[in-house]
PDB file of all heavy atoms in Angstrom:
ATOM      1  N   LYS A   1      52.027  21.903  -1.090  1.00 93.00           N
ATOM      2  CA  LYS A   1      51.892  20.881  -0.058  1.00 93.00           C
ATOM      3  C   LYS A   1      50.446  20.622   0.356  1.00 93.00           C
ATOM      4  O   LYS A   1      50.194  19.819   1.264  1.00 93.00           O
ATOM      5  CB  LYS A   1      52.736  21.268   1.165  1.00 93.00           C
ATOM      6  CG  LYS A   1      54.234  21.280   0.877  1.00 93.00           C
ATOM      7  CD  LYS A   1      55.049  21.569   2.123  1.00 93.00           C
ATOM      8  CE  LYS A   1      56.549  21.529   1.807  1.00 93.00           C
ATOM      9  NZ  LYS A   1      57.370  21.770   3.020  1.00 93.00           N
ATOM     10  N   LEU A   2      49.486  21.327  -0.269  1.00 92.00           N
ATOM     11  CA  LEU A   2      48.083  20.982  -0.096  1.00 92.00           C
ATOM     12  C   LEU A   2      47.694  20.032  -1.227  1.00 92.00           C
ATOM     13  O   LEU A   2      48.423  19.873  -2.206  1.00 92.00           O
ATOM     14  CB  LEU A   2      47.215  22.245  -0.122  1.00 92.00           C
ATOM     15  CG  LEU A   2      47.522  23.306   0.937  1.00 92.00           C
ATOM     16  CD1 LEU A   2      46.552  24.477   0.805  1.00 92.00           C
ATOM     17  CD2 LEU A   2      47.471  22.729   2.331  1.00 92.00           C
ATOM     18  N   LYS A   3      46.560  19.418  -1.108  1.00 86.00           N
ATOM     19  CA  LYS A   3      46.149  18.435  -2.117  1.00 86.00           C
ATOM     20  C   LYS A   3      45.870  19.082  -3.462  1.00 86.00           C
ATOM     21  O   LYS A   3      45.962  18.439  -4.509  1.00 86.00           O
ATOM     22  CB  LYS A   3      44.932  17.667  -1.620  1.00 86.00           C
ATOM     23  CG  LYS A   3      45.251  16.782  -0.410  1.00 86.00           C
ATOM     24  CD  LYS A   3      44.016  16.039   0.078  1.00 86.00           C
ATOM     25  CE  LYS A   3      44.369  15.164   1.283  1.00 86.00           C
ATOM     26  NZ  LYS A   3      43.185  14.440   1.807  1.00 86.00           N
ATOM     27  N   TYR A   4      45.505  20.357  -3.427  1.00 92.00           N
ATOM     28  CA  TYR A   4      45.228  21.108  -4.653  1.00 92.00           C
ATOM     29  C   TYR A   4      45.802  22.504  -4.478  1.00 92.00           C
ATOM     30  O   TYR A   4      46.030  22.962  -3.356  1.00 92.00           O
ATOM     31  CB  TYR A   4      43.715  21.185  -4.924  1.00 92.00           C
ATOM     32  CG  TYR A   4      43.082  19.831  -5.097  1.00 92.00           C
ATOM     33  CD1 TYR A   4      42.578  19.134  -4.000  1.00 92.00           C
ATOM     34  CD2 TYR A   4      43.005  19.225  -6.353  1.00 92.00           C
ATOM     35  CE1 TYR A   4      42.016  17.871  -4.147  1.00 92.00           C
ATOM     36  CE2 TYR A   4      42.435  17.969  -6.511  1.00 92.00           C
ATOM     37  CZ  TYR A   4      41.949  17.297  -5.401  1.00 92.00           C
ATOM     38  OH  TYR A   4      41.405  16.050  -5.553  1.00 92.00           O
ATOM     39  N   LEU A   5      46.027  23.206  -5.592  1.00 94.00           N
ATOM     40  CA  LEU A   5      46.490  24.586  -5.528  1.00 94.00           C
ATOM     41  C   LEU A   5      45.268  25.485  -5.439  1.00 94.00           C
ATOM     42  O   LEU A   5      44.546  25.688  -6.411  1.00 94.00           O
ATOM     43  CB  LEU A   5      47.317  24.928  -6.767  1.00 94.00           C
ATOM     44  CG  LEU A   5      47.982  26.315  -6.762  1.00 94.00           C
ATOM     45  CD1 LEU A   5      48.972  26.433  -5.600  1.00 94.00           C
ATOM     46  CD2 LEU A   5      48.678  26.586  -8.080  1.00 94.00           C
ATOM     47  N   PHE A   6      45.023  25.995  -4.239  1.00 94.00           N
ATOM     48  CA  PHE A   6      43.843  26.793  -3.985  1.00 94.00           C
ATOM     49  C   PHE A   6      44.143  28.281  -4.161  1.00 94.00           C
ATOM     50  O   PHE A   6      45.299  28.709  -4.043  1.00 94.00           O
ATOM     51  CB  PHE A   6      43.338  26.563  -2.556  1.00 94.00           C
ATOM     52  CG  PHE A   6      42.691  25.228  -2.343  1.00 94.00           C
ATOM     53  CD1 PHE A   6      43.424  24.148  -1.867  1.00 94.00           C
ATOM     54  CD2 PHE A   6      41.337  25.046  -2.603  1.00 94.00           C
ATOM     55  CE1 PHE A   6      42.832  22.912  -1.659  1.00 94.00           C
ATOM     56  CE2 PHE A   6      40.733  23.815  -2.396  1.00 94.00           C
ATOM     57  CZ  PHE A   6      41.473  22.750  -1.926  1.00 94.00           C
ATOM     58  N   PRO A   7      43.110  29.103  -4.408  1.00 91.00           N
ATOM     59  CA  PRO A   7      43.299  30.553  -4.327  1.00 91.00           C
ATOM     60  C   PRO A   7      43.505  30.958  -2.871  1.00 91.00           C
ATOM     61  O   PRO A   7      43.501  30.109  -1.970  1.00 91.00           O
ATOM     62  CB  PRO A   7      41.978  31.106  -4.891  1.00 91.00           C
ATOM     63  CG  PRO A   7      40.982  30.016  -4.668  1.00 91.00           C
ATOM     64  CD  PRO A   7      41.752  28.727  -4.788  1.00 91.00           C
ATOM     65  N   THR A   8      43.680  32.238  -2.613  1.00 88.00           N
ATOM     66  CA  THR A   8      43.933  32.728  -1.258  1.00 88.00           C
ATOM     67  C   THR A   8      42.825  32.315  -0.296  1.00 88.00           C
ATOM     68  O   THR A   8      41.639  32.437  -0.599  1.00 88.00           O
ATOM     69  CB  THR A   8      44.055  34.259  -1.259  1.00 88.00           C
ATOM     70  OG1 THR A   8      45.100  34.634  -2.163  1.00 88.00           O
ATOM     71  CG2 THR A   8      44.387  34.785   0.124  1.00 88.00           C
ATOM     72  N   VAL A   9      43.220  31.825   0.860  1.00 90.00           N
ATOM     73  CA  VAL A   9      42.254  31.429   1.891  1.00 90.00           C
ATOM     74  C   VAL A   9      41.686  32.676   2.548  1.00 90.00           C
ATOM     75  O   VAL A   9      42.437  33.558   2.995  1.00 90.00           O
ATOM     76  CB  VAL A   9      42.922  30.527   2.941  1.00 90.00           C
ATOM     77  CG1 VAL A   9      41.932  30.158   4.042  1.00 90.00           C
ATOM     78  CG2 VAL A   9      43.494  29.277   2.290  1.00 90.00           C
ATOM     79  N   GLN A  10      40.363  32.765   2.620  1.00 87.00           N
ATOM     80  CA  GLN A  10      39.709  33.947   3.183  1.00 87.00           C
ATOM     81  C   GLN A  10      38.628  33.548   4.178  1.00 87.00           C
ATOM     82  O   GLN A  10      38.066  32.452   4.100  1.00 87.00           O
ATOM     83  CB  GLN A  10      39.091  34.793   2.067  1.00 87.00           C
ATOM     84  CG  GLN A  10      40.108  35.368   1.091  1.00 87.00           C
ATOM     85  CD  GLN A  10      39.454  36.194   0.000  1.00 87.00           C
ATOM     86  OE1 GLN A  10      38.348  35.915  -0.419  1.00 87.00           O
ATOM     87  NE2 GLN A  10      40.154  37.210  -0.468  1.00 87.00           N
ATOM     88  N   ASN A  11      38.348  34.457   5.093  1.00 87.00           N
ATOM     89  CA  ASN A  11      37.260  34.276   6.038  1.00 87.00           C
ATOM     90  C   ASN A  11      35.922  34.267   5.293  1.00 87.00           C
ATOM     91  O   ASN A  11      35.757  34.953   4.287  1.00 87.00           O
ATOM     92  CB  ASN A  11      37.300  35.417   7.065  1.00 87.00           C
ATOM     93  CG  ASN A  11      36.159  35.355   8.053  1.00 87.00           C
ATOM     94  OD1 ASN A  11      35.130  35.962   7.841  1.00 87.00           O
ATOM     95  ND2 ASN A  11      36.349  34.616   9.120  1.00 87.00           N
ATOM     96  N   TYR A  12      34.972  33.473   5.783  1.00 87.00           N
ATOM     97  CA  TYR A  12      33.646  33.414   5.152  1.00 87.00           C
ATOM     98  C   TYR A  12      32.584  33.670   6.218  1.00 87.00           C
ATOM     99  O   TYR A  12      32.585  33.041   7.286  1.00 87.00           O
ATOM    100  CB  TYR A  12      33.421  32.049   4.505  1.00 87.00           C
ATOM    101  CG  TYR A  12      32.072  31.925   3.820  1.00 87.00           C
ATOM    102  CD1 TYR A  12      31.914  32.283   2.492  1.00 87.00           C
ATOM    103  CD2 TYR A  12      30.955  31.472   4.524  1.00 87.00           C
ATOM    104  CE1 TYR A  12      30.677  32.193   1.865  1.00 87.00           C
ATOM    105  CE2 TYR A  12      29.719  31.380   3.907  1.00 87.00           C
ATOM    106  CZ  TYR A  12      29.585  31.736   2.576  1.00 87.00           C
ATOM    107  OH  TYR A  12      28.366  31.654   1.972  1.00 87.00           O
ATOM    108  N   LYS A  13      31.661  34.593   5.901  1.00 84.00           N
ATOM    109  CA  LYS A  13      30.568  34.915   6.810  1.00 84.00           C
ATOM    110  C   LYS A  13      29.241  34.872   6.078  1.00 84.00           C
ATOM    111  O   LYS A  13      29.142  35.349   4.949  1.00 84.00           O
ATOM    112  CB  LYS A  13      30.733  36.328   7.398  1.00 84.00           C
ATOM    113  CG  LYS A  13      31.915  36.497   8.330  1.00 84.00           C
ATOM    114  CD  LYS A  13      31.934  37.916   8.870  1.00 84.00           C
ATOM    115  CE  LYS A  13      33.109  38.144   9.811  1.00 84.00           C
ATOM    116  NZ  LYS A  13      33.088  39.518  10.364  1.00 84.00           N
ATOM    117  N   ALA A  14      28.231  34.295   6.725  1.00 83.00           N
ATOM    118  CA  ALA A  14      26.865  34.323   6.201  1.00 83.00           C
ATOM    119  C   ALA A  14      25.938  34.652   7.370  1.00 83.00           C
ATOM    120  O   ALA A  14      25.858  33.883   8.333  1.00 83.00           O
ATOM    121  CB  ALA A  14      26.488  32.996   5.578  1.00 83.00           C
ATOM    122  N   GLU A  15      25.293  35.806   7.303  1.00 79.00           N
ATOM    123  CA  GLU A  15      24.432  36.256   8.401  1.00 79.00           C
ATOM    124  C   GLU A  15      23.151  35.429   8.480  1.00 79.00           C
ATOM    125  O   GLU A  15      22.645  35.135   9.554  1.00 79.00           O
ATOM    126  CB  GLU A  15      24.100  37.739   8.227  1.00 79.00           C
ATOM    127  CG  GLU A  15      25.328  38.655   8.229  1.00 79.00           C
ATOM    128  CD  GLU A  15      26.088  38.613   9.534  1.00 79.00           C
ATOM    129  OE1 GLU A  15      25.479  38.319  10.568  1.00 79.00           O
ATOM    130  OE2 GLU A  15      27.311  38.864   9.514  1.00 79.00           O
ATOM    131  N   LYS A  16      22.609  35.051   7.348  1.00 74.00           N
ATOM    132  CA  LYS A  16      21.414  34.211   7.302  1.00 74.00           C
ATOM    133  C   LYS A  16      21.714  33.040   6.379  1.00 74.00           C
ATOM    134  O   LYS A  16      22.030  33.231   5.211  1.00 74.00           O
ATOM    135  CB  LYS A  16      20.213  35.002   6.779  1.00 74.00           C
ATOM    136  CG  LYS A  16      19.757  36.114   7.700  1.00 74.00           C
ATOM    137  CD  LYS A  16      18.549  36.834   7.115  1.00 74.00           C
ATOM    138  CE  LYS A  16      18.087  37.962   8.030  1.00 74.00           C
ATOM    139  NZ  LYS A  16      16.928  38.697   7.458  1.00 74.00           N
ATOM    140  N   SER A  17      21.626  31.849   6.910  1.00 78.00           N
ATOM    141  CA  SER A  17      21.955  30.673   6.114  1.00 78.00           C
ATOM    142  C   SER A  17      20.814  29.671   6.145  1.00 78.00           C
ATOM    143  O   SER A  17      19.851  29.810   6.912  1.00 78.00           O
ATOM    144  CB  SER A  17      23.233  30.009   6.654  1.00 78.00           C
ATOM    145  OG  SER A  17      22.955  29.336   7.880  1.00 78.00           O
ATOM    146  N   ILE A  18      20.930  28.633   5.343  1.00 81.00           N
ATOM    147  CA  ILE A  18      19.898  27.594   5.296  1.00 81.00           C
ATOM    148  C   ILE A  18      19.844  26.806   6.599  1.00 81.00           C
ATOM    149  O   ILE A  18      18.885  26.046   6.831  1.00 81.00           O
ATOM    150  CB  ILE A  18      20.144  26.638   4.112  1.00 81.00           C
ATOM    151  CG1 ILE A  18      21.522  25.971   4.232  1.00 81.00           C
ATOM    152  CG2 ILE A  18      20.012  27.364   2.779  1.00 81.00           C
ATOM    153  CD1 ILE A  18      21.777  24.910   3.181  1.00 81.00           C
ATOM    154  N   LEU A  19      20.834  26.976   7.460  1.00 84.00           N
ATOM    155  CA  LEU A  19      20.844  26.284   8.755  1.00 84.00           C
ATOM    156  C   LEU A  19      19.999  27.006   9.795  1.00 84.00           C
ATOM    157  O   LEU A  19      19.827  26.507  10.909  1.00 84.00           O
ATOM    158  CB  LEU A  19      22.284  26.153   9.268  1.00 84.00           C
ATOM    159  CG  LEU A  19      23.255  25.365   8.385  1.00 84.00           C
ATOM    160  CD1 LEU A  19      24.657  25.398   8.974  1.00 84.00           C
ATOM    161  CD2 LEU A  19      22.789  23.929   8.215  1.00 84.00           C
ATOM    162  N   GLY A  20      19.508  28.183   9.428  1.00 82.00           N
ATOM    163  CA  GLY A  20      18.718  28.968  10.373  1.00 82.00           C
ATOM    164  C   GLY A  20      19.565  29.702  11.389  1.00 82.00           C
ATOM    165  O   GLY A  20      19.058  30.168  12.414  1.00 82.00           O
ATOM    166  N   ARG A  21      20.838  29.792  11.138  1.00 86.00           N
ATOM    167  CA  ARG A  21      21.762  30.526  12.021  1.00 86.00           C
ATOM    168  C   ARG A  21      22.848  31.167  11.185  1.00 86.00           C
ATOM    169  O   ARG A  21      23.038  30.832  10.013  1.00 86.00           O
ATOM    170  CB  ARG A  21      22.384  29.585  13.058  1.00 86.00           C
ATOM    171  CG  ARG A  21      23.264  28.478  12.455  1.00 86.00           C
ATOM    172  CD  ARG A  21      23.994  27.703  13.556  1.00 86.00           C
ATOM    173  NE  ARG A  21      24.707  26.528  13.060  1.00 86.00           N
ATOM    174  CZ  ARG A  21      25.939  26.549  12.555  1.00 86.00           C
ATOM    175  NH1 ARG A  21      26.592  27.706  12.436  1.00 86.00           N
ATOM    176  NH2 ARG A  21      26.531  25.431  12.150  1.00 86.00           N
ATOM    177  N   SER A  22      23.559  32.104  11.806  1.00 85.00           N
ATOM    178  CA  SER A  22      24.698  32.695  11.114  1.00 85.00           C
ATOM    179  C   SER A  22      25.836  31.688  11.076  1.00 85.00           C
ATOM    180  O   SER A  22      25.952  30.828  11.959  1.00 85.00           O
ATOM    181  CB  SER A  22      25.151  33.979  11.817  1.00 85.00           C
ATOM    182  OG  SER A  22      25.587  33.684  13.129  1.00 85.00           O
ATOM    183  N   VAL A  23      26.649  31.792  10.040  1.00 89.00           N
ATOM    184  CA  VAL A  23      27.785  30.889   9.862  1.00 89.00           C
ATOM    185  C   VAL A  23      29.036  31.728   9.661  1.00 89.00           C
ATOM    186  O   VAL A  23      29.038  32.665   8.865  1.00 89.00           O
ATOM    187  CB  VAL A  23      27.573  29.968   8.646  1.00 89.00           C
ATOM    188  CG1 VAL A  23      28.869  29.230   8.297  1.00 89.00           C
ATOM    189  CG2 VAL A  23      26.456  28.959   8.914  1.00 89.00           C
ATOM    190  N   GLU A  24      30.071  31.418  10.411  1.00 89.00           N
ATOM    191  CA  GLU A  24      31.363  32.068  10.191  1.00 89.00           C
ATOM    192  C   GLU A  24      32.435  30.983  10.155  1.00 89.00           C
ATOM    193  O   GLU A  24      32.588  30.231  11.120  1.00 89.00           O
ATOM    194  CB  GLU A  24      31.683  33.094  11.266  1.00 89.00           C
ATOM    195  CG  GLU A  24      33.003  33.806  11.010  1.00 89.00           C
ATOM    196  CD  GLU A  24      33.196  35.067  11.835  1.00 89.00           C
ATOM    197  OE1 GLU A  24      32.273  35.435  12.583  1.00 89.00           O
ATOM    198  OE2 GLU A  24      34.271  35.680  11.717  1.00 89.00           O
ATOM    199  N   ILE A  25      33.115  30.900   9.038  1.00 92.00           N
ATOM    200  CA  ILE A  25      34.185  29.918   8.857  1.00 92.00           C
ATOM    201  C   ILE A  25      35.509  30.659   8.800  1.00 92.00           C
ATOM    202  O   ILE A  25      35.664  31.628   8.048  1.00 92.00           O
ATOM    203  CB  ILE A  25      33.946  29.099   7.571  1.00 92.00           C
ATOM    204  CG1 ILE A  25      32.635  28.281   7.708  1.00 92.00           C
ATOM    205  CG2 ILE A  25      35.113  28.159   7.297  1.00 92.00           C
ATOM    206  CD1 ILE A  25      32.237  27.533   6.459  1.00 92.00           C
ATOM    207  N   ASP A  26      36.465  30.213   9.614  1.00 93.00           N
ATOM    208  CA  ASP A  26      37.730  30.939   9.747  1.00 93.00           C
ATOM    209  C   ASP A  26      38.470  31.071   8.426  1.00 93.00           C
ATOM    210  O   ASP A  26      39.143  32.070   8.175  1.00 93.00           O
ATOM    211  CB  ASP A  26      38.630  30.248  10.775  1.00 93.00           C
ATOM    212  CG  ASP A  26      38.056  30.321  12.184  1.00 93.00           C
ATOM    213  OD1 ASP A  26      37.235  31.227  12.435  1.00 93.00           O
ATOM    214  OD2 ASP A  26      38.421  29.474  13.019  1.00 93.00           O
ATOM    215  N   GLY A  27      38.383  30.061   7.592  1.00 92.00           N
ATOM    216  CA  GLY A  27      39.057  30.111   6.293  1.00 92.00           C
ATOM    217  C   GLY A  27      38.366  29.222   5.288  1.00 92.00           C
ATOM    218  O   GLY A  27      37.886  28.131   5.628  1.00 92.00           O
ATOM    219  N   MET A  28      38.285  29.707   4.063  1.00 92.00           N
ATOM    220  CA  MET A  28      37.625  28.943   3.005  1.00 92.00           C
ATOM    221  C   MET A  28      38.257  29.296   1.672  1.00 92.00           C
ATOM    222  O   MET A  28      38.599  30.449   1.418  1.00 92.00           O
ATOM    223  CB  MET A  28      36.131  29.261   2.989  1.00 92.00           C
ATOM    224  CG  MET A  28      35.301  28.383   2.050  1.00 92.00           C
ATOM    225  SD  MET A  28      35.221  29.034   0.355  1.00 92.00           S
ATOM    226  CE  MET A  28      34.186  30.460   0.562  1.00 92.00           C
ATOM    227  N   ALA A  29      38.433  28.284   0.830  1.00 92.00           N
ATOM    228  CA  ALA A  29      38.910  28.506  -0.535  1.00 92.00           C
ATOM    229  C   ALA A  29      38.336  27.391  -1.403  1.00 92.00           C
ATOM    230  O   ALA A  29      38.146  26.261  -0.937  1.00 92.00           O
ATOM    231  CB  ALA A  29      40.432  28.514  -0.595  1.00 92.00           C
ATOM    232  N   ARG A  30      38.085  27.721  -2.663  1.00 93.00           N
ATOM    233  CA  ARG A  30      37.488  26.734  -3.571  1.00 93.00           C
ATOM    234  C   ARG A  30      38.184  26.783  -4.928  1.00 93.00           C
ATOM    235  O   ARG A  30      38.498  27.854  -5.443  1.00 93.00           O
ATOM    236  CB  ARG A  30      35.995  27.004  -3.747  1.00 93.00           C
ATOM    237  CG  ARG A  30      35.323  26.088  -4.772  1.00 93.00           C
ATOM    238  CD  ARG A  30      33.860  26.419  -4.942  1.00 93.00           C
ATOM    239  NE  ARG A  30      33.271  25.634  -6.028  1.00 93.00           N
ATOM    240  CZ  ARG A  30      31.993  25.703  -6.411  1.00 93.00           C
ATOM    241  NH1 ARG A  30      31.159  26.512  -5.777  1.00 93.00           N
ATOM    242  NH2 ARG A  30      31.567  24.956  -7.409  1.00 93.00           N
ATOM    243  N   VAL A  31      38.453  25.608  -5.480  1.00 94.00           N
ATOM    244  CA  VAL A  31      38.929  25.504  -6.839  1.00 94.00           C
ATOM    245  C   VAL A  31      38.206  24.315  -7.471  1.00 94.00           C
ATOM    246  O   VAL A  31      38.225  23.205  -6.936  1.00 94.00           O
ATOM    247  CB  VAL A  31      40.466  25.331  -6.907  1.00 94.00           C
ATOM    248  CG1 VAL A  31      40.937  24.123  -6.127  1.00 94.00           C
ATOM    249  CG2 VAL A  31      40.944  25.255  -8.343  1.00 94.00           C
ATOM    250  N   ASP A  32      37.514  24.567  -8.575  1.00 94.00           N
ATOM    251  CA  ASP A  32      36.696  23.546  -9.240  1.00 94.00           C
ATOM    252  C   ASP A  32      35.726  22.941  -8.225  1.00 94.00           C
ATOM    253  O   ASP A  32      34.971  23.672  -7.608  1.00 94.00           O
ATOM    254  CB  ASP A  32      37.587  22.481  -9.886  1.00 94.00           C
ATOM    255  CG  ASP A  32      38.517  23.077 -10.944  1.00 94.00           C
ATOM    256  OD1 ASP A  32      38.085  24.043 -11.609  1.00 94.00           O
ATOM    257  OD2 ASP A  32      39.657  22.605 -11.095  1.00 94.00           O
ATOM    258  N   ASP A  33      35.790  21.627  -8.015  1.00 95.00           N
ATOM    259  CA  ASP A  33      34.874  20.983  -7.071  1.00 95.00           C
ATOM    260  C   ASP A  33      35.538  20.672  -5.732  1.00 95.00           C
ATOM    261  O   ASP A  33      35.037  19.855  -4.950  1.00 95.00           O
ATOM    262  CB  ASP A  33      34.327  19.678  -7.672  1.00 95.00           C
ATOM    263  CG  ASP A  33      33.317  19.933  -8.782  1.00 95.00           C
ATOM    264  OD1 ASP A  33      32.736  21.037  -8.807  1.00 95.00           O
ATOM    265  OD2 ASP A  33      33.127  19.043  -9.635  1.00 95.00           O
TER     266      ASP A  33
END
């Protein structure tokens, strides 16, 4: 029922990012593009 069949959704954390701040995303999954 999602637009694509994604792998398991997981939390994503980056302590130092290109934004100059930490980034925490509640859920993230990627398949191809």
Side-chain angles (χ1 to χ4, degrees):
K1 295 184 178 182
L2 301 182
K3 293 179 180 179
Y4 300 90
L5 186 62
F6 287 94
T8 303
V9 178
Q10 296 180 328
N11 177 267
Y12 181 89
K13 293 182 180 182
E15 300 298 334
K16 293 181 180 179
S17 73
I18 59 174
L19 299 176
R21 64 172 172 85
S22 63
V23 169
E24 182 165 357
I25 296 175
D26 294 338
M28 188 272 289
R30 175 182 174 180
V31 57
D32 300 326
D33 287 338

